[in-house]
Amino acid sequence: ENEDLTKVEIPEKDLEISTMRAGGKGGQNVNKVETAVRVVHTPSGLSVRCSEQRSQLQNKEQAIDLLRSKLLVIAQEQRVAELAEIRGDLVEAAWGSQIRNYVFHRG
């Protein structure tokens, strides 16, 4: 799975990165330092917010990884839908649903 994430390249121009204060428990540092990161993928409108780590850089990397995984899932779903469209409606070859051929022998 990690190998697939590294293959997904997101151009920097497609990302909108903003920082904010994390909030919650953590003492005075939470209120002073903007460690939470929100990354928005502008072409798709997907948004990811990460405030788990104490470092802004770590949060940014984690948020981008989350965004990559979401984009990968969407791409896979689109691929499955395209394949289903190409294949069409598959009919199960069960007893009674097959076309019967009657061959009459003259003898």
Side-chain angles (χ1 to χ4, degrees):
E1 184 179 324
N2 289 337
E3 294 171 11
D4 291 341
L5 286 180
T6 55
K7 291 179 187 175
V8 178
E9 283 298 318
I10 306 173
E12 282 288 325
K13 63 180 175 65
D14 289 351
L15 297 179
E16 185 180 306
I17 300 171
S18 56
T19 59
M20 63 213 74
R21 293 186 183 100
K25 298 177 184 172
Q28 294 177 357
N29 193 46
V30 170
N31 298 325
K32 290 189 291 185
V33 183
E34 294 191 345
T35 55
V37 176
R38 189 179 81 207
V39 179
V40 179
H41 185 246
T42 48
S44 66
L46 281 177
S47 174
V48 176
R49 183 178 187 272
C50 184
S51 59
E52 293 177 9
Q53 307 297 327
R54 294 184 71 175
S55 159
Q56 189 183 98
L57 183 63
Q58 289 174 334
N59 280 331
K60 179 182 171 186
E61 289 171 356
Q62 191 170 2
I64 290 175
D65 284 345
L66 281 170
L67 189 64
R68 276 195 186 115
S69 63
K70 282 187 176 187
L71 289 171
L72 191 66
V73 167
I74 289 172
Q76 287 173 345
E77 287 174 354
Q78 287 175 345
R79 217 173 296 131
V80 167
E82 287 172 6
L83 284 176
E85 193 174 306
I86 291 170
R87 293 173 100 189
D89 295 330
L90 293 178
V91 179
E92 185 180 334
W95 182 257
S97 66
Q98 300 165 356
I99 297 172
R100 292 185 182 87
N101 290 326
Y102 296 100
V103 180
F104 297 104
H105 297 283
R106 289 186 180 169

